[in-house]
Amino acid sequence: MLGLIQERPLLISDALTHAALYHGRTPVVSRRRNGSFYHSSWSELEYRVRRLANALRRAGIGHGDRVATLAWNNHRHVEAYFAITAIGAVCHPINPRLFPEQVAYITRHADDVGLLYDLEYAALAKTVAENCTLRVNVAMCGSDELATGGCADVEAYEDFIAAASDDAAVYAAFDERTAASLCYTSGTTGNPKGVLSTHRALMIHAMVGRTSDLFDLRPASTACAIVPLYHAHASWGLPFAAAMTGCALVLPGLQLDGPSIAETINAFRVTVANGVPTIWNDLVGHLSTAGGSIPSLGRIVVAGSAPAPALVHALENDHKVDVCHIWGMTETGPCGTSGASLWGSESGSNQLARKNKQGHGVFGVQMRISNDKHAHCPWGDEHIGALQVRGPYVVSGYFKQEGAGSVDADGWFNTGDVASIDNDGYLKIVDRDKDLVKSGGEWISSIDVENTAGSFPGVREAAVIAIPHERWGERPLLLVVTADNAKIETDALLDFLSDRLAKWWVPDRIVFVPSLPKTGTGKVMKAELRKQFADAIAVEA
Amino acid sequence: MLGLIQERPLLISDALTHAALYHGRTPVVSRRRNGSFYHSSWSELEYRVRRLANALRRAGIGHGDRVATLAWNNHRHVEAYFAITAIGAVCHPINPRLFPEQVAYITRHADDVGLLYDLEYAALAKTVAENCTLRVNVAMCGSDELATGGCADVEAYEDFIAAASDDAAVYAAFDERTAASLCYTSGTTGNPKGVLSTHRALMIHAMVGRTSDLFDLRPASTACAIVPLYHAHASWGLPFAAAMTGCALVLPGLQLDGPSIAETINAFRVTVANGVPTIWNDLVGHLSTAGGSIPSLGRIVVAGSAPAPALVHALENDHKVDVCHIWGMTETGPCGTSGASLWGSESGSNQLARKNKQGHGVFGVQMRISNDKHAHCPWGDEHIGALQVRGPYVVSGYFKQEGAGSVDADGWFNTGDVASIDNDGYLKIVDRDKDLVKSGGEWISSIDVENTAGSFPGVREAAVIAIPHERWGERPLLLVVTADNAKIETDALLDFLSDRLAKWWVPDRIVFVPSLPKTGTGKVMKAELRKQFADAIAVEA
């Protein structure tokens, strides 16, 4: 029996209009190219979104159309995300760090009919324009700036919205399962795959994002979205959660170096921010050499890779910043787990160990570990297997590859990660399954070996790949890039690893290389390394 | 175009299993009849819920069946709410303060097929059993206690669940729009009406309930559900929000007097609680006479009627408790507005004035004021009209009265309240529309006149009703119940009112009465008063 409740959809525009209505004077701040700040508010931002939404519709953008963006974290990019989705079109933020051939591939695959781009990315914008038929091509600038870049038939953003109506009827309701955001994953092998998220998924995700499990937002908070808006559905959904809460939002632009981030945090008394460990390493490094403090910052949310214990220690002890380590993928919302809770009852060293894990499932996301022995493993560090998740914001398939089947009949999505869940429910990512080394029937975590090697003085980067071995099946090979001027003795590094790893995890060989091949987003292409090294070593093994 | 996200429903059982999995050791505490405390945890509670769900199913309770409860706030009642809804049946908590004829009416109207009751309500349980055909009739006690009360064919709760399976397959997924909770409103006129809420509505409501706009929960919180579970979908949904968050939950039983509440708060370091103003008056009264403090309590959430300024002042200044004044109805989730935010930037007296208002809409709830001049009034204290709301947890109709039409074609539910929304978005409830006095084309708020009269020394209760008047249409009549031994001079009270109200709001006459007629939930029956007084006065007017 169904209940008697209104069938009102959960739509992204509801978050924006809520912020504008009840928190209209709350600031939205954006850093300009020249380092100065543009000051706006939820009320003003909503007004501009409304005009942009009307402008897009007038220009022929309709329900389901894909509109690409090539932009950094600024107010116009946030406006674009809200306006495109408000009319039922799909925001397709393109990672501008991708290689031009990849941009060409995904814009053709997405079949984009609109584009909004920052002037920095005029060259890539041409690539987009050449690979699809655009009804709208807008440079995100004022008309006076347009001359400085861009390709043919481009309109300046400020002209485009100035000419449009501000009719609020543009926020019409539609099915909450309507596609809203198309983000391509930057896989290390094969072509990028499109994750097509919905209004419902992004709003449920934002409702979880508001809570103390993730961004811990309240109206008095000031959230800084450091993770790019093109990453995993708008900076892990932070602008949506901020609008729903009505807190202040700071967009740091392109200035992501340590000194700039410190300046942005202190200028607006930022209380919470998201970012990958590199950002926080740079910030902590800057503060420790140049001095200074970040007293307003109460929490950071970290993902991408595990923050090093030294980084967590520096942030928590020296700067009193709570480090919330999470795990997720574009395919999982992205935020699938949270390391924010349970720490209160634990002692210092346990807390630090826990922070290196990826936390527990947040409300709505179910997780299980599956391996040869159990379809659904019991909890315990000893049960390592494939991490599978399901929930109301987890993918059911990829765009134009619906039948490809990374989701099983019971709805479990196979993440491609190998992990365990400890007896308190904490997830530990062991490796990507394709990067695991399987030696003598046991698994070796390439991530753990890399992290250990990375802490040896003089090691800049480390990568571990499996190489074939007659007796053990596979053995780990360690590739090392040394820091400038560093000299590393192979035996000293092997001794260091032997002291810290299980005996059979220690690589048989170390190869020093000048650099590691990487994707446009900086991920090491291990498949490429395996091609380079497999044959040579197999002979010697 | 629809997105590619799993169609996982939002179900109440997901909140419970989340709490049990990741916050299993977090306490759930329940006060017994004898004042001692029963100690449980989310893990244990979930285990008992699972057995109860299996027991109910085995006893023939199926999807859509209504199962009534007659119980106070204790662990078994919370278990019942979770177990009944887990199998797709509908929890129908009956207010045990209703008159037996009303209980008979609603149990027949609901067509209950199951009942779980506390021993205190054995007599009312018989009324339920006599008015419908029960497949399950369970007294919420151990088998050793069953002899102390109850009617025929009754099983003891502990026996009922001990005999059942603990198979987790009982948590099967179904449509999130499935009915979960049936609460009858205790109208002051006519028969009670059934509000049939859904899993989706209650889970979205709980997601809002977790945030700083309402209960402000985090895993380290301890929430005390003082509002009865039979009130507006399980104590304003607090147990659902607590489970979703994984915080501690305290159920204070029947001991709701000031000293007991203080004792419960201090015994478990309660951080947040909900309740009507009477509860907080009693608590503050007790603390001011007997001494003592409640240092753990950080926030209370208050609704039902506006807390008096003196009460807010005592709680905030003397006890450092943040008073979050909200507005809602069973029909609106219930939580429709929140007074939690914006205060940071306001000075003391402004803050106090704001706390007397009902706050602003929470995410998802849209509000508008509609009157003769505007279908959708602008904001401003001067625009008074009918308060209408819509949103994903607002009713679309009443049980078995789907066509009765309290919702218009655009989905706006007419609340029956007359209100204004100020320029900052703050709602002010002026009156119930049927209680407004319309004098000379202008409105007089019976609530405001009553509150002002109520602050006069010696006034215990005050009620204002409209009486017909030849020239003005209607004029207010003030009925006063004096406190024990108090003597009130009519002229002194009229002078007092004249100093504090607009001249035309001051009643022409005051009548002293020994008591006011009330409903089972303590609401004054103004329709009854109008019948009693209208004729007599009309002649004199």
Side-chain angles (χ1 to χ4, degrees):
Chain A
M1 181 174 67
L2 299 188
L4 293 166
I5 296 292
Q6 301 181 5
E7 301 218 351
R8 303 288 311 166
L10 295 172
L11 299 179
I12 295 171
S13 58
D14 291 334
L16 179 64
T17 53
H18 174 81
L21 264 179
Y22 298 118
H23 305 274
R25 293 187 295 249
T26 300
V28 178
V29 177
S30 173
R31 197 156 196 178
R32 297 192 187 93
R33 291 171 185 83
N34 66 8
S36 69
F37 291 97
Y38 168 86
H39 293 264
S40 182
S41 63
W42 283 116
S43 163
E44 188 184 329
L45 189 130
E46 185 278 325
Y47 182 72
R48 288 166 56 88
V49 166
R50 213 184 320 144
R51 296 188 90 114
L52 177 56
N54 278 296
L56 289 167
R57 179 168 281 177
R58 198 181 52 170
I61 303 295
H63 196 89
D65 285 341
R66 274 77 68 199
V67 178
T69 63
L70 274 167
W72 31 294
N73 288 13
N74 57 38
H75 64 288
R76 293 192 185 102
H77 200 181
V78 169
E79 289 164 7
Y81 231 117
F82 278 113
I84 293 164
T85 56
I87 60 171
V90 181
C91 186
H92 168 212
I94 301 176
N95 180 346
R97 294 189 201 153
L98 293 177
F99 304 115
E101 343 34 296
Q102 288 176 299
V103 172
Y105 170 82
I106 66 173
T107 197
R108 278 198 307 269
H109 189 271
D111 196 10
D112 295 314
V113 298
L115 171 67
L116 296 100
Y117 68 90
D118 278 343
L119 296 178
E120 283 78 358
Y121 307 122
L124 269 182
K126 267 190 192 141
T127 303
V128 172
E130 285 161 7
N131 280 281
C132 45
T133 308
L134 297 180
R135 288 175 219 150
V136 167
N137 192 351
V138 168
M140 299 219 246
C141 61
S143 50
D144 54 331
E145 299 168 282
L146 188 57
T148 65
C151 48
D153 301 324
V154 176
E155 197 165 357
Y157 184 95
E158 296 301 329
D159 294 340
F160 188 60
I161 68 170
S165 155
D166 61 1
D167 187 352
V170 79
Y171 299 128
F174 44 75
D175 191 323
E176 68 186 18
R177 297 169 303 164
T178 298
S181 173
L182 178 61
C183 287
Y184 283 81
T185 61
S186 58
T188 53
T189 54
N191 279 319
K193 288 182 281 190
V195 175
L196 192 64
S197 191
T198 66
H199 285 260
R200 171 184 164 92
L202 295 173
M203 288 298 95
I204 293 176
H205 185 269
M207 284 195 257
V208 175
R210 294 175 70 178
T211 70
S212 66
D213 283 346
L214 293 169
F215 299 117
D216 197 17
L217 301 179
R218 50 188 60 228
S221 302
T222 298
C224 183
I226 296 176
V227 169
L229 287 163
Y230 54 76
H231 192 89
H233 312 300
S235 189
W236 309 346
L238 184 51
F240 306 142
M244 205 179 258
T245 306
C247 70
L249 178 65
V250 175
L251 302 157
L254 275 171
Q255 290 91 339
L256 302 180
D257 56 291
S260 295
I261 290 293
E263 194 184 354
T264 298
I265 287 171
N266 287 321
F268 302 101
R269 292 189 287 281
V270 167
T271 60
V272 60
N274 60 8
V276 293
T278 311
I279 292 287
W280 308 116
N281 273 323
D282 290 353
L283 176 64
V284 165
H286 162 71
L287 294 173
S288 76
T289 55
S293 63
I294 42 169
S296 65
L297 193 65
R299 168 176 290 198
I300 59 164
V301 180
V302 185
S305 60
L311 176 61
V312 174
H313 188 269
L315 283 162
E316 301 215 326
N317 289 62
D318 303 346
H319 298 290
K320 308 301 171 203
V321 175
D322 181 25
V323 175
C324 175
H325 180 197
I326 69 171
W327 167 88
M329 320 169 61
T330 306
E331 289 90 336
T332 64
C335 302
T337 65
S338 160
S341 71
L342 289 186
W343 302 331
S345 58
E346 298 197 58
S347 64
S349 64
N350 263 348
Q351 283 203 20
L352 207 55
R354 275 282 160 79
K355 297 225 164 179
N356 204 249
K357 296 192 173 181
Q358 277 78 12
H360 61 68
V362 294
F363 172 72
V365 174
Q366 298 175 352
M367 299 194 297
R368 72 176 189 184
I369 303 294
S370 183
N371 65 21
D372 301 344
K373 296 188 195 107
H374 308 277
H376 189 169
C377 290
W379 282 359
D381 290 321
E382 69 276 25
H383 295 291
I384 292 171
L387 173 63
Q388 301 178 323
V389 301
R390 64 180 187 188
Y393 47 78
V394 176
V395 286
S396 60
Y398 293 99
F399 187 47
K400 296 182 182 170
Q401 291 173 265
E402 286 82 346
S406 39
V407 175
D408 73 14
D410 294 327
W412 292 100
F413 167 71
N414 196 23
T415 62
D417 278 331
V418 172
S420 64
I421 299 176
D422 71 20
N423 288 319
D424 289 321
Y426 272 66
L427 179 72
K428 164 122 178 97
I429 299 290
V430 174
D431 217 332
R432 293 293 296 166
D433 63 3
K434 62 183 183 298
D435 295 339
L436 265 185
V437 183
K438 282 153 202 151
S439 176
E442 301 280 355
W443 284 341
I444 298 171
S445 162
S446 68
I447 292 176
D448 280 0
V449 179
E450 287 161 7
N451 286 347
T452 308
S455 64
F456 187 77
V459 173
R460 172 180 284 163
E461 288 182 291
V464 168
I465 56 169
I467 51 166
H469 190 281
E470 203 167 314
R471 180 166 174 203
W472 301 115
E474 291 179 354
R475 288 294 299 154
L477 169 73
L478 172 60
L479 303 165
V480 169
V481 181
T482 55
D484 295 338
N485 308 320
K487 283 278 286 180
I488 297 177
E489 298 292 333
T490 300
D491 287 348
L493 177 50
L494 283 173
D495 286 350
F496 179 85
L497 295 175
S498 299
D499 289 348
R500 287 163 179 79
L501 297 171
K503 194 178 162 202
W504 51 279
W505 282 36
V506 179
D508 299 331
R509 258 191 77 189
I510 300 174
V511 176
F512 294 90
V513 292
S515 66
L516 297 170
K518 286 182 185 159
T519 67
T521 53
K523 287 183 189 168
V524 174
M525 293 193 287
K526 292 200 175 176
E528 190 60 33
L529 287 174
R530 280 192 293 268
K531 268 191 228 158
Q532 283 179 35
F533 289 91
D535 289 348
I537 308 292
V539 174
E540 294 179 34
Chain B
M1 182 174 65
L2 300 187
L4 293 166
I5 296 293
Q6 302 181 4
E7 300 219 351
R8 302 289 312 165
L10 295 172
L11 299 179
I12 295 171
S13 58
D14 291 335
L16 179 64
T17 53
H18 174 81
L21 265 179
Y22 299 117
H23 306 274
R25 294 187 295 249
T26 299
V28 178
V29 177
S30 173
R31 195 156 197 178
R32 296 193 186 92
R33 290 173 185 81
N34 66 7
S36 69
F37 290 97
Y38 167 86
H39 292 266
S40 182
S41 65
W42 283 117
S43 165
E44 189 184 328
L45 189 130
E46 184 277 326
Y47 181 71
R48 288 166 57 87
V49 166
R50 214 185 318 144
R51 296 187 90 113
L52 177 57
N54 277 297
L56 290 167
R57 180 167 280 177
R58 198 181 53 170
I61 304 296
H63 197 90
D65 285 340
R66 274 76 69 199
V67 178
T69 63
L70 275 167
W72 32 296
N73 288 14
N74 57 39
H75 65 288
R76 293 192 185 103
H77 200 181
V78 169
E79 289 164 7
Y81 230 117
F82 278 113
I84 294 164
T85 55
I87 60 171
V90 181
C91 187
H92 168 213
I94 301 176
N95 180 347
R97 294 189 201 153
L98 293 177
F99 303 116
E101 339 39 294
Q102 289 176 300
V103 172
Y105 170 82
I106 65 173
T107 196
R108 279 197 308 268
H109 189 272
D111 196 11
D112 294 313
V113 297
L115 172 66
L116 296 99
Y117 67 89
D118 278 342
L119 296 178
E120 284 78 0
Y121 306 122
L124 268 183
K126 268 190 193 140
T127 302
V128 172
E130 286 162 6
N131 280 281
C132 45
T133 308
L134 297 181
R135 287 174 220 150
V136 168
N137 192 351
V138 168
M140 298 220 246
C141 61
S143 49
D144 53 330
E145 299 169 282
L146 188 56
T148 64
C151 49
D153 301 324
V154 176
E155 197 166 357
Y157 185 96
E158 296 301 328
D159 294 341
F160 188 60
I161 67 169
S165 154
D166 61 1
D167 187 351
V170 78
Y171 300 128
F174 43 76
D175 191 322
E176 67 186 20
R177 297 168 304 165
T178 297
S181 172
L182 177 61
C183 288
Y184 282 81
T185 61
S186 57
T188 53
T189 53
N191 279 319
K193 287 181 283 190
V195 175
L196 192 64
S197 191
T198 66
H199 284 260
R200 171 184 163 91
L202 295 173
M203 288 299 94
I204 293 175
H205 184 268
M207 283 195 258
V208 175
R210 293 174 72 179
T211 69
S212 66
D213 282 347
L214 292 170
F215 299 117
D216 197 17
L217 301 179
R218 49 186 61 227
S221 302
T222 298
C224 184
I226 295 176
V227 169
L229 286 163
Y230 54 75
H231 191 90
H233 311 300
S235 189
W236 309 347
L238 182 52
F240 306 141
M244 205 178 258
T245 305
C247 70
L249 179 64
V250 175
L251 303 157
L254 275 171
Q255 289 91 338
L256 302 181
D257 56 290
S260 296
I261 290 293
E263 195 184 354
T264 298
I265 288 170
N266 286 322
F268 302 101
R269 290 190 287 279
V270 166
T271 59
V272 60
N274 60 8
V276 293
T278 311
I279 292 286
W280 308 116
N281 273 324
D282 291 354
L283 176 64
V284 165
H286 161 69
L287 294 173
S288 76
T289 55
S293 64
I294 42 169
S296 65
L297 193 66
R299 169 177 289 198
I300 59 165
V301 180
V302 186
S305 60
L311 175 62
V312 174
H313 187 269
L315 283 162
E316 301 215 325
N317 290 61
D318 303 347
H319 299 289
K320 308 300 172 203
V321 174
D322 182 24
V323 175
C324 174
H325 181 196
I326 68 170
W327 167 88
M329 322 170 60
T330 305
E331 289 89 336
T332 63
C335 302
T337 65
S338 160
S341 73
L342 288 187
W343 303 331
S345 58
E346 298 198 59
S347 63
S349 63
N350 262 348
Q351 283 204 20
L352 207 56
R354 275 281 159 81
K355 295 225 166 182
N356 204 248
K357 297 191 174 182
Q358 277 78 13
H360 61 67
V362 293
F363 172 73
V365 174
Q366 297 175 352
M367 299 193 298
R368 71 175 189 186
I369 304 293
S370 182
N371 65 21
D372 301 345
K373 295 186 194 109
H374 308 276
H376 190 168
C377 290
W379 282 359
D381 290 321
E382 69 277 25
H383 295 290
I384 292 171
L387 174 62
Q388 302 178 322
V389 302
R390 66 181 185 186
Y393 48 78
V394 177
V395 287
S396 61
Y398 292 99
F399 188 47
K400 297 182 182 172
Q401 292 173 265
E402 285 82 346
S406 39
V407 175
D408 73 13
D410 294 327
W412 292 100
F413 167 71
N414 196 22
T415 63
D417 278 332
V418 172
S420 64
I421 298 176
D422 72 20
N423 287 319
D424 289 321
Y426 272 67
L427 178 71
K428 163 123 178 98
I429 299 290
V430 173
D431 216 332
R432 293 293 296 167
D433 63 4
K434 61 183 184 297
D435 296 338
L436 265 185
V437 183
K438 282 153 203 153
S439 177
E442 300 282 354
W443 283 341
I444 298 172
S445 161
S446 68
I447 293 176
D448 280 1
V449 179
E450 287 162 6
N451 286 346
T452 307
S455 64
F456 187 76
V459 173
R460 171 180 286 162
E461 289 182 292
V464 168
I465 56 169
I467 50 167
H469 189 284
E470 203 167 315
R471 181 167 174 204
W472 302 113
E474 290 180 352
R475 288 295 298 154
L477 170 71
L478 172 61
L479 302 166
V480 168
V481 180
T482 54
D484 296 338
N485 308 318
K487 283 278 287 181
I488 297 178
E489 297 293 334
T490 300
D491 286 349
L493 177 50
L494 284 173
D495 286 350
F496 179 86
L497 296 174
S498 300
D499 288 348
R500 287 162 178 80
L501 297 170
K503 193 178 164 203
W504 51 280
W505 282 37
V506 178
D508 299 332
R509 258 190 78 189
I510 299 174
V511 176
F512 293 91
V513 292
S515 67
L516 296 170
K518 285 183 187 158
T519 67
T521 53
K523 287 184 190 168
V524 173
M525 293 192 287
K526 291 199 176 175
E528 191 58 36
L529 287 174
R530 279 193 292 269
K531 269 192 226 158
Q532 282 179 34
F533 288 91
D535 288 350
I537 307 292
V539 175
E540 293 181 33

